[in-house]
Amino acid sequence: MRWVEEMGSYVKSIDKQHLVGIGMEGFYGDSSPNKIKANPGSFKFGTDFVTNNLNKAIDFATIHVYPDAWLPGKSEATRMAFLEEWMALHWMDSKNILKKPLILEEFGKSIRGQNQTFSVRDSDAFLSKVYSIIYNLARKGATMAGGLVWQVMAEGMESYYDGYEIVLSQNPSTNTIITKQSNKMAALNTRTQHHLRSSY
């Protein structure tokens, strides 16, 4: 908490025009004891989503979600249920408690899972699922600001591959999914801005 306060204030003292976020996973802590059970494995991780993001120097909240890595050995249905609850809880807290935008800053499905291999089709299905949740939450108001897939790379970066890599030139189906989501979110933003302007 102290680090967030010190660094957030320091960045703002240098440049007040840039938005500042923490970049943490979104694990719940002591400020939300009833929500710790929503953490992967119901563990405490030493960070606190609500307290850290309430800091006035922080402009937007962030979460990550990696159901395969966080819930090893669990069924796909259990992982997807976790995904939906994780995103919904943080969206509600960002809207009602933090009153700040929320970005799903990292998410992905490794093609090299634990003791199993996933295909591009599996990754695309997961991407589509996450994007659908993001879009549906964004339609309910301006709180859900978008999502950043981990991780888009260019050709020739093989030494950085970690199983989550997406090379758009090699994965046209994934490229199409990302493009469609970008267009949908842009259109939604345009409608939201028009509504806000017409309300004043």
Side-chain angles (χ1 to χ4, degrees):
M1 172 63 184
R2 185 174 177 184
W3 179 86
V4 172
E5 184 174 352
E6 288 181 357
M7 292 298 101
S9 298
Y10 177 68
V11 171
K12 288 292 188 181
S13 74
I14 297 172
D15 184 355
K16 293 180 173 60
Q17 299 303 312
H18 276 78
L19 299 178
V20 176
I22 303 171
M24 289 185 174
E25 292 88 347
F27 300 133
Y28 286 104
D30 292 336
S31 71
S32 310
N34 60 323
K35 292 180 182 172
I36 291 174
K37 63 181 182 294
N39 289 343
S42 299
F43 295 127
K44 288 178 67 175
F45 291 89
T47 60
D48 191 313
F49 173 73
V50 173
T51 299
N52 289 339
N53 286 290
L54 273 174
N55 189 285
K56 64 182 180 181
I58 303 305
D59 299 298
F60 61 93
T62 60
I63 58 172
H64 302 176
V65 65
Y66 293 98
D68 296 340
W70 290 0
L71 301 174
K74 299 295 185 180
S75 69
E76 190 67 7
T78 298
R79 291 169 176 168
M80 291 303 99
F82 169 82
L83 167 71
E84 293 183 14
E85 181 184 34
W86 187 252
M87 293 180 66
L89 281 174
H90 288 83
W91 173 76
M92 287 188 290
D93 287 342
S94 296
K95 180 180 180 181
N96 299 325
I97 300 174
L98 304 177
K99 302 187 187 310
K100 296 178 181 181
L102 173 67
I103 294 178
L104 177 54
E105 187 186 50
E106 284 186 28
F107 70 96
K109 189 178 189 72
S110 175
I111 58 174
R112 295 192 296 272
Q114 295 180 349
N115 302 319
Q116 54 189 326
T117 301
F118 296 106
S119 66
V120 172
R121 176 182 285 183
D122 295 321
S123 179
D124 282 352
F126 177 73
L127 190 65
S128 295
K129 173 70 172 178
V130 174
Y131 277 161
S132 176
I133 296 171
I134 289 172
Y135 181 75
N136 288 330
L137 291 175
R139 289 178 62 192
K140 297 179 181 180
T143 301
M144 177 54 79
L148 305 172
V149 66
W150 184 267
Q151 60 182 334
V152 175
M153 293 188 161
E155 293 185 32
M157 298 181 68
E158 288 80 5
S159 62
Y160 294 96
Y161 285 6
D162 60 358
Y164 292 92
E165 67 277 353
I166 297 173
V167 181
L168 297 178
S169 60
Q170 298 173 4
N171 297 283
S173 60
T174 309
N175 191 7
T176 297
I177 292 169
I178 293 174
T179 300
K180 285 182 177 179
Q181 176 73 359
S182 298
N183 291 337
K184 286 172 63 178
M185 292 296 287
L188 185 60
N189 182 57
T190 299
R191 290 197 298 272
T192 301
Q193 293 300 321
H194 175 74
H195 173 73
L196 290 174
R197 284 194 296 270
S198 63
S199 299
Y200 293 100

